[in-house]
Amino acid sequence: MKIGFIGAGKMASAIMTGLKAADKGFEIILSEVNLDFSKERAQALGVGYAKSHAELIAEADLIVLGIKPQVLVTALGQVQITKPILSMVAGTSLETLAHLTQQDLPIIRIMPNLNAQILKSTTAICRNAYVSDELFEIAKTITDSFGKTFDIPEKDFDTFTALAGSSPAYIALFIEALAKTGVKYGFSKDLALAIVTQTTLATSQNLLTHDDSPHTFIDKVSSPGGTTVAGILDLEKTGFTASVVSAIDATIEKSKNM
């Protein structure tokens, strides 16, 4: 199968890198805003390129839309897509894509996150009624090449955006706060950050590997009358859980109203 990428930004580039690393036999071509940029990006990524979006659509079996939502209408107005579409255009529904293409095309929508850059994306996927099971499995093979895929209803994409798309920023904020505390007590910034990021990574892996719930894990770390439970109680006293839930609520609300 030949996969054609319209747009080769950070996320699309990460996907192409993942596909090449997975070595599933896909042929990859791309098309950017102009031919010179297409050549430059193709050379950097080690893939092919088309001379135009129209040429890419003619050659590819599956069209990946890797463009920004603000240029989507302009881009689709310049070409006629007649092939199945895999879209990562933020905030753009299957219904909107169908309206813009003005055809009954198989359309798959995905929502990766920034961790696609290290091939560890948490990616949501859904499809319209014209997508066959075979095509959907191919799409999941693509998304699994740069992380883990979650097949969820499109109505839940706003929630997914908060839990997987935006939350890396919140997690990074928590890591930064812990690291700053290390600096407060005499560690260098680099040392504090290395300690906290390693601990965060290992804790996530521990929860994924074992059957423990976060609550059970917390109990294992917290000795009776110890330092950990004192810190946990202080976090709850200052509203840590409520603050996190409120942040997710705000993210979902903003996503629904964009």
Side-chain angles (χ1 to χ4, degrees), residues 32-204:
E32 260 292 350
V33 291
N34 58 60
L35 182 55
D36 288 340
F37 193 34
S38 294
K39 290 179 179 179
E40 178 184 321
R41 295 303 299 144
Q43 183 176 9
L45 293 164
V47 300
Y49 66 90
K51 294 178 181 178
S52 65
H53 293 347
E55 182 180 280
L56 179 138
I57 292 166
E59 291 185 12
D61 301 303
L62 176 66
I63 310 301
V64 179
L65 295 179
I67 53 182
K68 296 183 182 299
Q70 55 265 36
V71 301
L72 177 64
V73 173
T74 301
L76 293 186
Q78 295 171 347
V79 294
Q80 183 177 19
I81 298 181
T82 57
K83 308 287 181 64
I85 294 171
L86 190 153
S87 171
M88 67 178 83
V89 183
T92 306
S93 67
L94 294 169
E95 183 180 0
T96 298
L97 290 164
H99 175 73
L100 290 173
T101 56
Q102 298 182 334
Q103 296 189 68
D104 295 333
L105 294 173
I107 302 176
I108 299 162
R109 181 183 175 193
I110 65 171
M111 186 174 291
N113 70 9
L114 188 62
N115 292 325
Q117 293 179 338
I118 58 167
L119 308 184
K120 295 290 184 180
S121 176
T122 307
T123 304
I125 190 169
C126 66
R127 57 177 164 171
N128 69 7
Y130 299 104
V131 176
S132 67
D133 290 342
E134 180 182 6
L135 179 58
F136 199 51
E137 287 304 313
I138 291 172
K140 285 191 281 189
T141 298
I142 293 171
T143 52
D144 283 342
S145 74
F146 58 91
K148 185 173 179 60
T149 307
F150 293 85
D151 181 1
I152 64 173
E154 188 176 30
K155 67 179 180 63
D156 294 329
F157 264 47
D158 289 326
T159 302
F160 182 89
T161 298
L163 295 180
S166 298
S167 69
Y170 312 151
I171 295 167
L173 182 63
F174 178 63
I175 289 171
E176 183 180 47
L178 289 173
K180 282 180 177 178
T181 307
V183 174
K184 175 184 176 181
Y185 286 98
F187 285 176
S188 70
K189 182 178 180 181
D190 288 345
L191 176 60
L193 186 59
I195 291 169
V196 173
T197 51
Q198 173 58 35
T199 304
T200 304
L201 174 64
T203 302
S204 298

Side-chain angles (χ1 to χ4, degrees), residues 199-228:
T199 304
T200 304
L201 174 64
T203 302
S204 298
Q205 291 175 332
N206 205 327
L207 286 169
L208 286 170
T209 302
H210 298 99
D211 292 331
D212 290 344
S213 67
H215 181 78
T216 302
F217 186 85
I218 291 168
D219 282 348
K220 287 183 176 180
V221 180
S222 303
S223 301
T227 56
T228 303

